[in-house]
Amino acid sequence: MTRFIFITGGVVSSLGKGLASAALGALLQARGYSVRLRKLDPYLNVDPGTMSPYQHGEVYVTDDGAETDLDLGHYERFTGVPSRQSDNVTTGRIYQTILQKERRGDYLGGTVQVIPHVTDAIKDFVLADTEGTDFVLVEIGGTVGDIESLPFLEAIRQLGNDLPLGRSLYIHLTLVPYIPSAGELKTKPTQHSVKELRSIGIQPDLLLVRCDRQVPEAERRKIGLFCNVRPEFVIQALDVGSIYDVPLSYHAEAFDDRVLEAFGIPEGAPPVLKRWEDIHERVTSPEGEVNIAIVGKYTGLKDAYKSLAEALVHGGIANNVRVNLEWLESEIFEDEDAVVHLEGVDGILVPGGFGKRGVEGKIAAANFARTRKVPYFGICFGMQIAVIEAARNLAGLHGASSTEFGPCDDPVVGLMTEWLRGNQVERRTASGDLGGTMRLGAYEAHLKPGTRISEIYGGATTIHERHRHRFEVNINYVEQLEARGLLFSGLSPDGVLPETVEIPDHPWFVGVQYHPELKSKPFDPHPLFAAFVRAALAQSRLV
Ligand code: GLN
């Protein structure tokens, strides 16, 4: 019997609805239930794949090749349940589906309308692919009151009646601000937000109120009274030191008990929270620290590298150290010497990226790491950068570059127009659509035995990692580069696409064409991040 939990947000955005959903998922899981988490996004893009990181933060990629909202990353990091294409939908995708049907004539001459056609399509999405799951948590993006979210709210309102009694629950997340001049916590924004929600027919069962300090019992009673919610179902969500403390903090407020109570499920045994207690311990009392420089392009917006930042925290957890991140805008190296900024860091990471701006700065950072023997981790673009740097400065190919930035003498990185996915050939053209056409999702890679990369993966020679890129390192340059010390340690199963590179004669220099950060979890740190932080720790002890 599947139960549905709908999570909406009010008052302001960025209250951490995604984290709240993920943490509730983790708590239900800790009580032995199976969970799925999904997100309804009200914007008109078909998916976030074509959006700038400045607009939308990171694009999270699933095994099945969907480009999704970054909240799906939180869901996976907290529950370990791999997200799927069917876990994220946008208004754009809903309309695309409906309009295709309309053009085919599937509506048999009928007028196509928001109610019932759009709302039905949303409901189909919510209910699809949920068999055998105890709880499906559905987060609705945006804030109550937005015009765009109305069809989604209407759809989840309808679902409350469509589903059998006692199978759905509405949780609303709001803010209770503290006004210093009055010295008081204010409940009015919450009251207004719930009023808005009730005006469209949704009565929340449970309120989660974000606050930077304790919300006294009297205030919670008042919120309950004005919002028509039982006072004990008004749960405070206090700010915590680390996001991985959220499940523990929610449990302390009996959030999970109340959710089960609302469904009429007997409380049963308390959740097993050892996993989260261990992480809390490691995050709050590290035994050392390392300093990692991230040389990227979107460093002004941390959400642009959300999974990466979390994976580095996980690498710290694996080594019992705190990882301090220094975000460096790569363009600065084009005017100033990289040395000034990178001297003294314990590791350098060049993450994924697109386009020409800042590239020369990243190449300078890779050069610094290689020549000064500082641990280097190149992810996707960061691997391509390392190859360009080695081609220019080790192999003497001065015109080496990527065709992503225009024609060049030595295209050591080039556009891939044809590749194999299993036995299937995928094709692209230079002038084709940009949306959804990269090499996306999980692909198999073969690692050469005895290499550093294989050793990092515990001796494995076959791995599956998630990809999101249009360009590939050019296999035709492999011999020339290997002769100069850059080893191509991992390739696609057909041997055509370089997947990993390393420099054996270096303390730790690894580039990977995929995005390992997407699969790292606090309770299961990705081996590459664990190994990189370990190498940085060794480096920090050298100086
Ligand atoms: N811009 C590069 C490409 O498209 C790298 C992409 C990435 O880092 N995700 O191949």
Side-chain angles (χ1 to χ4, degrees), residues 47 62 64-68 83-89 93 125:
D47 61 41
T62 60
D64 59 1
E67 295 179 283
T68 72
S83 301
R84 299 199 279 251
Q85 170 87 64
S86 56
D87 292 326
N88 189 203
V89 83
R93 190 178 292 280
F125 167 80

Side-chain angles (χ1 to χ4, degrees), residues 20-41:
S21 309
L24 176 59
L27 283 177
L28 290 169
Q29 228 185 13
R31 286 180 177 266
Y33 296 105
S34 62
V35 298
R36 280 210 82 70
L37 286 107
R38 40 186 52 167
K39 172 105 193 261
L40 308 176
D41 274 313

